[in-house]
Amino acid sequence: TPTIFCGQAVLDQAQLSNYIPQKLGTGWGVGEPLVFSPTRKGLLDKVELFVSGKGDIQVKVVDSVNGKNNDLTEIITWPVNSINGRGSWLTFDFKKEPLIYKGLNYTVTFRSISGTVYVHWAIYWNWARRIFLKQF
């Protein structure tokens, strides 16, 4: 039987600099998808995105294997309220923590459901993100 370490989440990967705000629409996804491939096997604990604007954002993670795009997490809705237009990190902590595997592709997808919301990215659509796993 495998042992699951449900303690502290570990930062698996990040893109942290040179941000450009990208306005979100009401459909899932904008620009290039935020596809990531974990560096280790683990339980997907949370995703942090650098956001700005004023409104509500929804985020979920889908399985990108073979183009199936099955939802792996619940949809999280969170308010965004930037002061003076500055962005900040917003944490999406999933209750459903799916087991994800090193070397496979997964997609974080997001949309605005009200107001004007921006997710920030660097060159080549490197979305400003931090992805945390609980080691498995």
Side-chain angles (χ1 to χ4, degrees):
T1 334
T3 303
I4 297 176
F5 300 99
C6 292
Q8 187 74 9
V10 176
L11 179 63
D12 186 66
Q13 58 182 256
Q15 169 62 41
L16 303 174
S17 61
N18 302 319
Y19 305 141
I20 302 165
Q22 176 65 46
K23 184 178 177 182
L24 298 184
T26 56
W28 289 107
V30 63
E32 289 294 316
L34 196 173
V35 175
F36 72 98
S37 182
T39 62
R40 67 194 88 191
K41 179 180 175 182
L43 297 173
L44 179 60
D45 181 51
K46 62 187 170 190
V47 171
E48 294 180 344
L49 299 174
F50 199 84
V51 300
S52 62
K54 185 170 179 62
D56 291 303
I57 185 175
Q58 286 187 323
V59 174
K60 67 179 177 177
V61 177
V62 297
D63 181 354
S64 299
V65 179
N66 300 321
K68 292 182 180 177
N69 291 328
N70 297 318
D71 291 354
L72 293 178
T73 65
E74 72 276 14
I75 297 170
I76 295 179
T77 303
W78 207 255
V80 176
N81 190 7
S82 293
I83 299 170
N84 299 326
R86 294 189 192 126
S88 62
W89 289 102
L90 193 58
T91 301
F92 301 91
D93 195 353
F94 302 108
K95 291 179 184 166
K96 180 180 176 186
E97 297 178 340
L99 180 60
I100 58 176
Y101 296 88
K102 178 180 177 178
L104 295 182
N105 289 331
Y106 303 91
T107 301
V108 179
T109 187
F110 32 82
R111 67 181 178 183
S112 172
I113 59 167
S114 70
T116 303
V117 177
Y118 300 86
V119 172
H120 295 229
W121 55 280
I123 59 170
Y124 307 116
W125 291 99
N126 287 315
W127 293 100
R129 88 284 191 161
R130 296 188 290 215
I131 298 170
F132 294 85
L133 303 179
K134 290 180 180 173
Q135 294 185 349
F136 183 83

